Amino acid sequence: MLGARAWLCCSLLLPRAGRGLSVSRRGSSSRDKDRSVTVSSSVSMPAGGKGSRSNCSQSTPQKVPNRLINEKSPYLQQHAYNPVDWYPWGQEAFDKARKENKPIFLSVGYSTCHWCHMMEEESFQNEEIGRLLNEDFISVKVDREERPDVDKVYMTFVQATSSGGGWPMSVWLTPNLQPFVGGTYFPPEDGLTRVGFRTVLLRIREQWKQNKNTLLENSQHVTTALLARSEISMGDRQLPPSAATMNSRCFQQLDEGYDEEYGGFAEAPKFPTPVILNFLFSYWLSHRLTQDGSRAQQMALHTLKMMANGGIRDHVGQGFHRYSTDRQWHVPHFEKMLYDQGQLVVAYSQAYQITGDEFYSDVAKGILQYVARHLSHRSGGFYSAEDADSPPERGMRPKEGAFYVWTVKEVQQLLSEPVLGASEPLTSGQLLMKHYGLTEAGNISPSQDPKGELQGQNVLTVRYSLELTAARFGLEVEVVRTLLNTGLEKLFQARKHRPKPHLDNKMLAAWNGLMVSGYAITGAVLGTERLINYATNGAKFLKRHMFDVATGRLMRTCYAGSGGTVEHSNPPCWGFLEDYAFVVRALLDLYEASLESAWLEWALRLQDTQDRLFWDSRGGGYFCSEAELGAGLPLRLKDDQDGAEPSANSVSAHNLLRLHGFTGHKDWIDKCVCLLTAFSERMRRVPVALPEMVRALSAHQQTLKQIVICGDPQAKDTKALVQCVHSMYIPNKVLILADGDPSSFLSRQLPFLNTLRRLEDRATAYVCANQACSMPVTEPSELRKLLHQ
């Protein structure tokens, strides 16, 4: 929380109305939590307003669009027919606010956000609320996925001055963009425990007219306090903290919060958090002979298995939903995000590397099948998300989960054929319903369905092992497996005829980077060239459509146009730190999967650009946004949390270590040390908030392995050694192909490669560290032993 003085100036504008939509840093709010508004502000005043949410008058969307009709963002276009005089984020809106001396109402969300839809329908389509906004405020709409810098700055204010945050985010700003009131979702009218949006607007209007100078002064105090609170710098520190200490503390914090029965690290809502699973696997590897190491592995594998069996996984169409509304991973919030698919597929591939259990590789392949079917542009890029809401039938109002849930009647009609050889009369539908827990009354608790939209519906979730289901009906396990897979395919085909959820066809460089990594790593682990080709096409898409050759800069967004074309906003939205960090990591992963050095060369150029645009030469670490792009924002932040996505600084720390391994350039290591030192205090205080950075700290303080394969990249013996490396879980390494050409890119970067020779003209492997290499080996079995040391 803020200091005393700043907190005083954020005393509540309105009576606090419950805990609000408090969520993980990057997720929309849970259906099963109190939907009361979270409000923070500068001046107290009484509640007011009339009626209740049910009495809110709504109008049909206006036929005359507002200026958002000219925007590319699907989220902004969803508001293009509101009676609100919306502006996109930009100078036109700011100039108007200053000229007319009006506060800015900033509304931030994204196109697949359930509660953003609710506020749009209830408030932004309301004629009276539209008039209030148009007369007394300058209304600005922001897609948080297009402008993560704007989102982070004002979410920092909301989280610091209230009990949580979430989307939609509602913030009131001075004409100079300093926040003075913040909240999340507001119902349109007051209820018994909720403050209505209309009331909030009336009270802010009143205070702006009567106490504007106080609001301005207090907003300045808040901004100053936030600036001090959010500063991340090396200070007087010279070195980062001990990796062993940070590892131990991070593991202990995770162990304390672990759910023994269902896996995961919270009661509800429960999020996948791949960054935590990555940390646990790394912790296991470095502590595998200890009890804590075994415990870390068990926690990660059990969580992955329970997620894969739960309703958070779409058993019919594959892929994972955003999060579970319950402890059991049963009833999800149904939206599907690209960044979850890209990270989870890596976690399941790593689980397969560690265990050899095809359960995990099958889940990974299912994720990639879903992305290829539903989130892929034909030119190689990847779309952002699919919505949680869709109409149950054409012409009906959208409901959350409608596309994904099933009644017993539907399944019985689709799967009515008898199962031969069963110990009792049985249809394939009854078999599937038993295995996946479907019931006549529905398997969704009323507490998870407060609006009654899912009565009688079922979410598929694995209730029994294949062996138990087979034993229950006297069938062979493989027979049951085949029957279930056939049944799921029939459900998938039937589901195609339902109205589909909205597709956010915006393509983000950062999330495309995560997905390229997912395809590259999984393709390498499984030895599947087709998957590596998907990664290659994704990287080609990034270079063709999201990279400006003249300036060397990445673009943040592009959009699917008509006829399979790709469109850009004008002017373009330039990349943020996470775009560079995630794309650089993707290119390093793709190099190791394909061994095509052109991707490595591009990674180095992008890293140079990232350093130029975002590096803090005084405090260390990277800012989230360019100085020029964020001009006017009251804060320039460094993201300090590994949440639904890893912090771009955490990813950058890993990238710098790997780039040093590929090039030997000492400046990469020096930057990594400065970065880790800048985040020292944050890691010491709450290591569990930065598990990915703690992993980078461990990698830095251990020895990075350079695994060099000398050979013809197309030869079978070279491929056998490469596949041996990919089959093993070795996070702290770089894989290098030395093809014998002294003029090659890598040979020029690492001259010692020219001294390594093939034995008897066979592909030969060396494991190097600290400028010393092992004895050469030519057999995969010998290499495996060497890498286990």
Side-chain angles (χ1 to χ4, degrees):
M1 285 302 192
L2 296 175
R5 183 180 181 189
W7 179 247
L8 178 64
C9 75
C10 288
S11 60
L12 287 180
L13 170 74
L14 299 160
R16 193 166 297 239
R19 186 162 182 269
L21 299 176
S22 176
V23 296
S24 153
R25 288 288 279 272
R26 297 176 201 227
S28 64
S29 308
S30 165
R31 290 198 317 276
D32 65 332
K33 302 189 82 174
D34 178 9
R35 293 176 193 77
S36 305
V37 295
T38 301
V39 182
S40 58
S41 62
S42 302
V43 181
S44 62
M45 49 183 146
K50 63 180 182 180
S52 66
R53 174 169 166 172
S54 61
N55 292 331
C56 172
S57 63
Q58 290 193 0
S59 65
T60 55
Q62 299 297 296
K63 292 182 180 180
V64 178
N66 57 48
R67 58 178 59 77
L68 296 186
I69 197 67
N70 299 314
E71 297 300 309
K72 297 291 186 184
S73 160
Y75 176 62
L76 268 57
Q77 288 191 353
Q78 286 172 354
H79 295 75
Y81 287 89
N82 295 162
V84 179
D85 186 21
W86 290 114
Y87 285 80
W89 181 266
Q91 199 60 46
E92 183 185 5
F94 311 151
D95 289 344
K96 186 175 177 66
R98 289 163 189 151
K99 180 180 179 182
E100 299 184 8
N101 197 20
K102 291 179 179 178
I104 293 169
F105 167 60
L106 173 66
S107 177
V108 181
Y110 56 104
S111 79
T112 58
C113 163
H114 175 74
W115 288 100
C116 301
H117 300 331
M118 292 295 295
M119 195 162 175
E120 194 264 341
E121 292 173 13
E122 295 170 344
S123 293
F124 301 145
Q125 290 183 20
N126 183 292
E127 292 283 353
E128 182 185 358
I129 288 176
R131 279 194 297 273
L132 278 171
L133 284 168
N134 295 343
E135 289 171 3
D136 297 295
F137 303 90
I138 304 301
S139 300
V140 175
K141 178 62 72 173
V142 167
D143 183 336
R144 66 173 294 265
E145 294 166 357
E146 282 191 336
R147 290 300 303 259
D149 57 332
V150 175
D151 179 60
K152 285 186 179 80
V153 165
Y154 295 111
M155 187 61 75
T156 298
F157 166 75
V158 172
Q159 289 178 325
T161 57
S162 73
S163 59
W167 298 276
M169 177 170 62
S170 305
V171 188
W172 283 262
L173 317 176
T174 70
N176 289 327
L177 307 184
Q178 294 179 334
F180 62 91
V181 180
T184 53
Y185 161 84
F186 293 90
E189 302 290 349
D190 296 350
L192 291 176
T193 60
R194 303 174 183 173
V195 181
F197 187 57
R198 196 177 70 87
T199 297
V200 176
L201 294 175
L202 290 171
R203 299 313 179 202
I204 293 175
R205 178 181 71 178
E206 178 184 347
Q207 289 299 313
W208 186 259
K209 290 177 179 177
Q210 296 180 0
N211 299 306
K212 183 177 66 176
N213 290 337
T214 302
L215 287 176
L216 293 172
E217 181 182 345
N218 288 344
S219 69
Q220 181 60 54
H221 292 327
V222 172
T223 302
T224 302
L226 286 175
L227 190 61
R229 178 180 179 272
S230 61
E231 184 178 9
I232 294 172
S233 174
M234 290 187 295
D236 296 330
R237 293 179 290 271
Q238 301 297 316
L239 292 171
S242 158
T245 302
M246 294 301 99
N247 256 303
S248 177
R249 288 184 57 199
C250 188
F251 171 73
Q252 293 303 325
Q253 289 177 355
L254 291 172
D255 192 27
E256 290 166 7
Y258 178 65
D259 184 339
E260 296 284 354
E261 188 172 2
Y262 296 105
F265 301 90
E267 288 294 317
K270 191 173 275 187
F271 290 81
T273 56
V275 290
I276 290 176
L277 303 174
N278 292 343
F279 169 81
L280 290 172
F281 282 146
S282 290
Y283 188 87
W284 160 76
L285 188 66
S286 57
H287 298 79
R288 59 184 180 274
L289 300 180
T290 69
Q291 187 174 353
D292 280 354
S294 298
R295 168 75 169 162
Q297 186 199 59
Q298 179 267 330
M299 288 160 65
L301 293 176
H302 181 58
T303 297
L304 286 168
K305 187 153 281 191
M306 295 304 290
M307 284 168 47
N309 286 334
I312 191 173
R313 181 184 174 203
D314 179 2
H315 294 276
V316 173
Q318 298 302 314
F320 280 79
H321 299 293
R322 178 73 277 269
Y323 61 86
S324 173
T325 65
D326 55 70
R327 180 186 167 207
Q328 294 82 10
W329 303 106
H330 178 197
V331 181
H333 177 56
F334 289 91
E335 67 182 320
K336 289 180 173 178
M337 308 300 294
L338 182 67
Y339 60 74
D340 283 323
Q341 318 309 322
Q343 294 177 89
L344 284 171
V345 72
V346 173
Y348 280 98
S349 296
Q350 291 173 340
Y352 174 65
Q353 284 179 312
I354 290 165
T355 65
D357 186 343
E358 291 185 358
F359 172 87
Y360 299 106
S361 61
D362 287 345
V363 176
K365 287 185 279 190
I367 293 171
L368 297 183
Q369 181 186 51
Y370 160 70
V371 172
R373 281 173 168 172
H374 298 286
L375 295 181
S376 293
H377 188 276
R378 70 185 191 186
S379 296
F382 302 104
Y383 304 132
S384 293
E386 285 191 304
D387 207 335
D389 300 5
S390 61
E393 296 179 19
R394 300 192 190 284
M396 295 180 67
R397 185 180 182 278
K399 294 183 178 180
E400 182 166 9
F403 186 72
Y404 299 101
V405 293
W406 300 88
T407 64
V408 163
K409 182 179 178 181
E410 286 175 312
V411 176
Q412 287 175 331
Q413 289 176 342
L414 288 166
L415 306 175
S416 59
E417 61 277 8
V419 175
L420 302 178
S423 57
E424 60 186 75
L426 181 72
T427 66
S428 59
Q430 290 170 325
L431 176 72
L432 185 141
M433 289 188 291
K434 183 70 174 179
H435 188 73
Y436 288 102
L438 280 67
T439 68
E440 190 76 44
N443 64 10
I444 299 169
S445 165
S447 65
Q448 295 169 281
D449 182 29
K451 295 172 67 179
E453 292 183 333
L454 300 173
Q455 289 181 0
Q457 301 285 349
N458 292 271
V459 174
L460 272 64
T461 179
V462 176
R463 293 298 174 90
Y464 306 100
S465 67
L466 287 171
E467 290 76 13
L468 280 174
T469 301
R472 168 69 179 77
F473 297 109
L475 297 167
E476 295 294 326
V477 170
E478 287 307 312
V479 171
V480 170
R481 189 194 309 274
T482 300
L483 286 169
L484 291 175
N485 287 340
T486 301
L488 292 173
E489 178 60 26
K490 288 184 178 180
L491 296 188
F492 177 75
Q493 295 301 327
R495 202 171 76 175
K496 285 182 176 179
H497 299 288
R498 295 177 175 179
K500 293 179 174 57
H502 159 73
L503 172 69
D504 187 331
N505 63 9
K506 173 174 75 269
M507 289 171 275
L508 302 171
W511 296 3
N512 271 251
L514 291 174
M515 204 64 241
V516 168
S517 285
Y519 270 107
I521 291 171
T522 306
V525 169
L526 301 181
T528 306
E529 195 66 31
R530 177 178 58 86
L531 299 180
I532 298 173
N533 288 339
Y534 267 102
T536 300
N537 290 336
K540 289 179 178 177
F541 179 90
L542 283 164
K543 195 163 191 179
R544 185 183 308 119
H545 295 289
M546 306 191 78
F547 177 64
D548 182 62
V549 177
T551 62
R553 295 161 79 193
L554 285 172
M555 297 174 199
R556 170 69 175 174
T557 59
C558 64
Y559 309 84
S562 59
T565 59
V566 176
E567 298 179 350
H568 296 85
S569 57
N570 186 22
C573 182
W574 295 109
F576 296 91
L577 174 63
E578 63 184 39
D579 297 299
Y580 288 84
F582 294 0
V583 170
V584 168
R585 179 167 74 174
L587 297 174
L588 299 182
D589 292 336
L590 181 55
Y591 166 73
E592 293 195 357
S594 67
L595 299 176
E596 295 178 9
S597 62
W599 301 122
L600 189 57
E601 294 184 56
W602 190 29
L604 264 68
R605 291 202 299 274
L606 286 180
Q607 186 64 51
D608 286 336
T609 304
Q610 175 183 320
D611 293 346
R612 174 170 54 84
L613 296 176
F614 304 100
W615 181 253
D616 179 1
S617 57
R618 290 194 302 173
Y622 295 96
F623 290 110
C624 294
S625 59
E626 294 182 37
E628 289 184 14
L629 189 61
L633 285 172
L635 304 172
R636 192 181 182 204
L637 299 174
K638 299 173 187 174
D639 197 2
D640 63 350
Q641 180 166 342
D642 295 322
E645 303 162 57
S647 156
N649 270 285
S650 298
V651 173
S652 294
H654 286 280
N655 291 346
L656 292 167
L657 291 171
R658 294 173 75 183
L659 287 166
H660 174 259
F662 281 121
T663 66
H665 297 173
K666 186 175 178 296
D667 53 335
W668 301 128
I669 285 288
D670 293 341
K671 268 196 165 59
C672 182
V673 171
C674 288
L675 187 159
L676 294 170
T677 304
F679 283 84
S680 292
E681 188 58 32
R682 176 70 165 161
M683 279 193 281
R684 285 193 180 98
R685 282 202 325 268
V686 199
V688 75
L690 284 167
E692 190 73 8
M693 189 169 289
V694 173
R695 281 206 324 120
L697 178 66
S698 299
H700 164 62
Q701 293 183 6
Q702 295 169 2
T703 302
L704 181 131
K705 293 179 179 177
Q706 295 167 303
I707 305 171
V708 183
I709 310 295
C710 300
D712 177 353
Q714 302 305 318
K716 286 184 178 180
D717 56 353
T718 302
K719 291 181 176 180
L721 292 174
V722 168
Q723 193 54 43
C724 171
V725 176
H726 287 316
S727 70
M728 299 177 68
Y729 177 67
I730 316 168
N732 193 19
K733 64 100 173 61
V734 294
L735 173 62
I736 297 169
L737 175 71
D739 60 5
D741 179 3
S743 65
S744 69
F745 174 74
L746 276 165
S747 293
R748 296 196 310 273
Q749 300 292 322
L750 298 169
F752 82 90
L753 294 179
N754 296 314
T755 68
L756 304 181
R757 297 286 179 263
R758 303 185 201 182
L759 290 183
E760 300 174 355
D761 206 30
R762 298 171 63 189
T764 304
Y766 298 82
V767 179
C768 306
N770 294 328
Q771 300 180 325
C773 293
S774 68
M775 295 295 290
V777 296
T778 56
E779 293 295 331
S781 58
E782 295 174 325
L783 178 57
R784 183 173 293 273
K785 289 179 185 177
L786 199 57
L787 293 173
H788 267 307
Q789 293 176 1

